[in-house]
């Protein structure tokens, strides 16, 4: 057999090994008898191995652990070790059988993959940060040009160009912010937030106002059903606005010209719910559970963009102790819902 194997007494004293063990370790039976196996273990891992092996013996439970073993040439390779207690007719353990399976190639591949993922996220964060300054310069310059342009024909052209630059810079700025958020999420860091008493009706109103220009440019009707009184949650107003803006952007992206987008805010029992409804292309039932995954839209939906908005929206909503879900019918549109715990007024 390719695995290293051994047999031990009930107290863990190893009495014999298979031939593969001696071929791998280069040791003799006399050197390995009893607890001699400690000599082929990595000293850094040995204390943990001893502690878990002793606990398995004391409690009579199976032992499973991964650790490196030294080869005859001095090289350490990782093994997955399983030790199973064998019981007699009385139920008492009479011996242990141990098997070591070489997993070194898989272990090293996992390490390389982990290093690559960390490097990618670090690069993502650096690139996103480096893009912010020039984008800010473009935005400032385009805004200034738009303000300084006069009413002449040249001025009209200049203003039109400036507005195009501003829209492009705004789009890139949103993408950079999404990339920064994604970089934080993928390395396990929570998104930065400042929670305070926040009126979700006002948040929705601001998000809709920001989306009006895009909606008009795409010939979409943007309707709202917002209550006159405030509906408060404890949250980060900027982050919640970002979430609604992402949902609105997503709805407009997949709604043909002449369609409509509706935004509604209401209290439902102990929650404040916000819904964004569109008359767009809809989402197939089998795809519905996947749309909140990172990059999914970029790969599976034509014109879907980077596929970051819904994933980040989900992270923001869940960080607020809320829920996000959707309903959709093909060719009839979709509705995305957000529900957050309400604050009693």
């Amino acid at each position: 057999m390719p695995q290293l194997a051994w047999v031990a007494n009930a107290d863990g004293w190893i009495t014999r090994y298979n031939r593969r063990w001696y071929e791998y370790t280069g040791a003799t039976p006399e050197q390995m008898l009893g607890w001699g196996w400690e000599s082929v273990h990595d000293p850094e891992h040995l204390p943990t191995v001893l502690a878990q092996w002793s606990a398995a013996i004391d409690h009579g439970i199976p032992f499973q652990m991964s650790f490196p073993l030294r080869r005859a040439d001095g090289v350490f390779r990782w093994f997955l070790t399983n030790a199973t207690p064998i019981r007699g007719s009385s139920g008492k353990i009479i011996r242990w059988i141990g098997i070591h399976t070489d997993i070194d190639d898989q272990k090293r591949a996992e390490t390389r993959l982990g290093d690559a993922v960390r490097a990618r996220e670090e690069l993502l964060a650096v690139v996103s940060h480096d893009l912010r300054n020039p984008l800010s310069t473009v935005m400032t310059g385009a805004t200034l040009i738009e303000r300084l342009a006069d009413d002449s024909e040249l001025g009209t052209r200049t203003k039109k160009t400036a507005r195009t630059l501003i829209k492009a810079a705004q789009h890139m700025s949103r993408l950079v912010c999404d990339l920064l958020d994604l970089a934080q999420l993928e390395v396990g860091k929570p998104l930065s937030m400042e929670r305070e008493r926040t009126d979700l009706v006002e948040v929705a109103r601001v998000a809709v106002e920001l989306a009006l220009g895009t909606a008009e440019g795409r010939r979409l009707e943007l309707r709202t059903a917002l209550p006159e009184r405030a509906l408060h949650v404890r949250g980060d107003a900027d982050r919640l606005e970002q979430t609604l803006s992402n949902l609105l952007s997503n709805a407009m992206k997949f709604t043909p010209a002449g369609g409509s987008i509706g935004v509604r805010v209401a209290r439902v029992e102990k929650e404040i719910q916000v819904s964004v409804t569109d008359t767009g292309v809809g989402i197939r039932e089998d795809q519905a559970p996947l749309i909140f995954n990172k990059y999914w839209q970029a790969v599976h939906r034509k014109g879907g963009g980077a596929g970051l908005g819904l994933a980040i929206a989900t992270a923001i909503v869940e960080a607020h102790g809320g829920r996000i879900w959707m309903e959709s019918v093909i060719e009839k549109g979709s509705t995305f819902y957000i529900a957050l715990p309400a604050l009693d007024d």
Side-chain angles (χ1 to χ4, degrees), residues 6 37 41 48-57 60-67 80-85 96-100:
W6 46 265
W37 52 267
H41 276 251
T48 305
V49 175
L50 287 170
Q52 292 197 27
W53 175 224
S54 297
I57 294 170
I61 56 176
F63 171 89
Q64 184 180 81
M65 188 177 175
S66 297
F67 47 74
L80 172 63
T81 298
N82 289 277
T84 305
W96 292 81
I97 295 179
I99 301 290
H100 303 266

Side-chain angles (χ1 to χ4, degrees), residues 193-213:
M193 293 189 197
E194 295 182 5
R195 292 180 178 82
E196 56 187 7
R197 187 178 180 83
T198 300
D199 178 8
L200 208 50
V201 176
E202 182 60 25
V203 169
R205 187 174 289 114
V206 172
V208 169
E209 288 176 359
L210 292 173
L212 278 173

Side-chain angles (χ1 to χ4, degrees), residues 34-87:
W35 294 76
W37 52 267
E38 295 181 24
S39 63
V40 298
H41 276 251
D42 185 333
E44 181 181 345
H45 296 268
L46 183 57
T48 305
V49 175
L50 287 170
Q52 292 197 27
W53 175 224
S54 297
I57 294 170
D58 292 341
H59 296 92
I61 56 176
F63 171 89
Q64 184 180 81
M65 188 177 175
S66 297
F67 47 74
L69 294 174
R70 189 180 66 241
R71 201 166 57 188
D73 59 2
V75 173
F76 281 94
R77 290 184 65 83
W78 280 83
F79 285 81
L80 172 63
T81 298
N82 289 277
T84 305
I86 306 300
R87 301 178 184 274

Side-chain angles (χ1 to χ4, degrees), residues 9-10 31 59 68 80 84 100 132 172 191 197 205 229 234 245 275 308 319:
N9 294 333
Q31 292 172 321
H59 296 92
L80 172 63
T84 305
H100 303 266
R132 270 187 162 178
M172 289 184 68
L191 297 178
R197 187 178 180 83
R205 187 174 289 114
R229 71 185 188 93
R234 185 166 300 282
S245 293
S275 62
L308 304 178

Side-chain angles (χ1 to χ4, degrees), residues 56 75 102 109 114-115 139 145 180 193 200 238-239 243 246 257 266 271 278 291 296:
V75 173
D102 190 323
D115 291 342
M139 182 80 75
I145 291 171
L180 283 170
M193 293 189 197
L200 208 50
D238 290 338
R239 286 295 190 181
T243 297
N246 280 343
E271 295 178 325
D278 64 63
I291 61 170
W296 185 84

Side-chain angles (χ1 to χ4, degrees), residues 63-172:
F63 171 89
Q64 184 180 81
M65 188 177 175
S66 297
F67 47 74
L69 294 174
R70 189 180 66 241
R71 201 166 57 188
D73 59 2
V75 173
F76 281 94
R77 290 184 65 83
W78 280 83
F79 285 81
L80 172 63
T81 298
N82 289 277
T84 305
I86 306 300
R87 301 178 184 274
S89 57
S90 65
K92 291 185 177 181
I93 296 175
I94 56 176
R95 69 176 64 89
W96 292 81
I97 295 179
I99 301 290
H100 303 266
T101 302
D102 190 323
I103 59 168
D104 194 75
D105 291 341
Q106 299 95 305
K107 189 79 173 179
R108 295 184 189 281
E110 290 172 4
T111 300
R112 288 194 297 271
L113 179 60
D115 291 342
V117 169
R118 282 189 292 274
R120 183 195 67 181
E121 302 315 327
E122 289 172 4
L123 176 63
L124 204 61
V126 170
V127 170
S128 298
H129 275 296
D130 287 349
L131 280 172
R132 270 187 162 178
N133 287 338
L135 268 176
S136 178
T137 303
V138 170
M139 182 80 75
T140 302
T143 303
L144 181 61
I145 291 171
E146 183 184 26
R147 289 176 181 172
L148 293 177
D150 54 33
D151 293 329
S152 65
E153 183 180 349
L154 179 60
T156 302
R157 291 180 186 174
T158 303
K159 278 197 170 187
K160 185 176 180 181
T161 302
R163 290 194 188 103
T164 301
L165 284 172
I166 290 171
K167 287 182 179 179
Q170 287 173 336
H171 176 75
M172 289 184 68

